[in-house]
Amino acid sequence: MKRLSIPLSLVLLVFPLTILAAFHHYPAVKSLVDSFWKAGTARRPGRFAGFEYYERMLTDDKLHQVLWNNVIYSSLTIPTVIFLAIGMALLVNAKLPGTWLMRTSFFLPTMMPLIAIANIWMFFYAPGFGLIAQLLSYFGLPPMDFLNNSDTSLASIMAVSVWHQAGLYMIFYLAALQSVPNNLKEAAKLEGASSIRVFFDVVLPLLMPTTIFVSVNALIGSFRTIDHIIVMTNGGPNNSTALLLFYLYDVTFTYRDFSYGATLTVFMIFLLGFIALVQFRFLDRRAHYR
């Protein structure tokens, strides 16, 4: 009797696909199915609800506020992160003294757990004795409670995200900067272009593929933000810091409305897929790959 021999290449192909299907595709399909059913209890069986929960989304005022919060959060954090990442990458790529220390300092926040970072920033924001409160008092300005003020709470959350993410995307831009051919920059300088013109006319267009990658990942990350929101504000005050994933979590696990939570999950998957597709189609036309 011959032993069945399975090629290693087949195992390496099937195993990742199995993991992907078990932890990604199956939950997505299960959420889609559950969004059409009203969850049952021990005394009451589940029933088919049709598009009831999708109609509920259209009239959910809290969901509308959460989506608006996410629009503000994404439209401000993503350009800021990209701008800072490019600036830091240019700085550490400039062969200045202490470059290794700058790289470590810029990348250190990315290596820290976001919950730990949230606790550090809560000390910064603490009214009365926090670092920012001390700076305000030094300049004779009144203290502010940043996290418990609806006008400043979302901006305070955004600052933490930018501080945490900029160092990660700096690594991608640094790799892209080091792959830019020197002969292109030297040719531009021979034509009389200044360093600023070389950057905007030669280097920046060649960074566009990296910018596409960073912007898509930063956008997806902005809709997956939840850790430091739970620690710092728990969505308050008055839902001013509640983003889509936090609202999904709150509906599903706080109020235990599993069917509506599944509906919000389906909505988020399709929303992120649509936005990523639009980003790729729009930015890809402006990318200079060669």
Side-chain angles (χ1 to χ4, degrees):
M1 183 176 181
K2 294 183 178 181
R3 295 181 60 185
L4 181 62
S5 178
I6 302 177
L8 179 61
S9 59
L10 180 61
V11 174
L12 294 177
L13 174 64
V14 172
F15 181 72
L17 292 177
T18 304
I19 297 298
L20 182 65
F23 293 97
H24 184 271
H25 298 313
Y26 172 74
V29 173
K30 186 68 165 56
S31 296
L32 179 62
V33 173
D34 290 345
S35 67
F36 292 101
W37 287 84
K38 186 176 181 63
T41 63
R43 298 182 179 180
R44 182 187 60 193
R47 65 172 179 84
F48 181 72
F51 290 94
E52 175 183 336
Y53 291 104
Y54 291 94
E55 294 173 356
R56 176 179 166 183
M57 283 199 309
L58 299 176
T59 58
D60 189 348
D61 293 334
K62 187 174 180 179
L63 175 61
H64 300 161
Q65 180 183 357
V66 165
L67 290 175
W68 178 244
N69 291 343
N70 240 128
V71 169
I72 297 174
Y73 182 93
S74 302
S75 60
L76 293 179
T77 56
I78 294 175
T80 304
V81 164
I82 292 175
F83 176 79
L84 289 176
I86 293 176
M88 291 189 297
L90 289 171
L91 190 60
V92 300
N93 195 49
K95 310 301 181 184
L96 298 174
T99 300
W100 66 271
L101 181 60
M102 286 190 293
R103 290 188 184 187
T104 304
S105 301
F106 293 155
F107 191 68
L108 182 61
T110 302
M111 297 187 294
M112 298 175 60
L114 192 52
I115 294 179
I117 291 175
N119 283 281
I120 294 173
W121 277 82
M122 285 181 69
F123 171 74
F124 291 165
Y125 289 135
F129 62 89
L131 178 62
I132 298 177
Q134 295 293 329
L135 292 174
L136 291 175
S137 63
Y138 179 80
F139 290 103
L141 299 174
M144 294 182 61
D145 193 352
F146 291 93
L147 296 179
N148 290 316
N149 188 334
S150 299
D151 297 328
T152 59
S153 56
L154 184 59
S156 302
I157 293 294
M158 290 162 53
V160 178
S161 297
V162 169
W163 189 73
H164 178 252
Q165 295 175 8
L168 172 63
Y169 297 127
M170 174 202 70
I171 300 299
F172 296 107
Y173 278 110
L174 179 60
L177 284 173
Q178 293 178 348
S179 66
V180 174
N182 287 325
N183 59 343
L184 294 179
K185 294 185 285 186
E186 292 171 357
K189 291 179 180 179
L190 288 175
E191 293 293 331
S194 63
S195 299
I196 297 177
R197 296 298 303 176
V198 170
F199 173 74
F200 283 101
D201 293 342
V202 178
V203 177
L204 191 60
L206 293 175
L207 295 180
M208 186 56 70
T210 303
T211 301
I212 295 173
F213 173 80
V214 169
S215 61
V216 171
N217 280 273
L219 178 66
I220 295 174
S222 69
F223 279 87
R224 293 166 51 192
T225 301
I226 187 172
D227 305 54
H228 62 302
I229 293 178
I230 294 177
V231 173
M232 300 178 72
T233 63
N234 201 34
N238 298 322
N239 300 316
S240 59
T241 59
L243 302 182
L244 183 56
L245 185 59
F246 175 83
Y247 182 54
L248 191 159
Y249 170 85
D250 200 34
V251 166
T252 306
F253 297 104
T254 302
Y255 298 101
R256 305 189 68 79
D257 193 345
F258 299 110
S259 298
Y260 191 46
T263 307
L264 292 174
T265 301
V266 173
F267 171 72
M268 187 173 74
I269 291 173
F270 279 97
L271 177 64
L272 291 179
F274 174 76
I275 295 176
L277 178 63
V278 170
Q279 274 190 304
F280 274 118
R281 294 295 298 273
F282 177 76
L283 294 176
D284 191 59
R285 298 176 183 176
R286 290 158 174 77
H288 296 263
Y289 292 95
R290 297 179 183 176

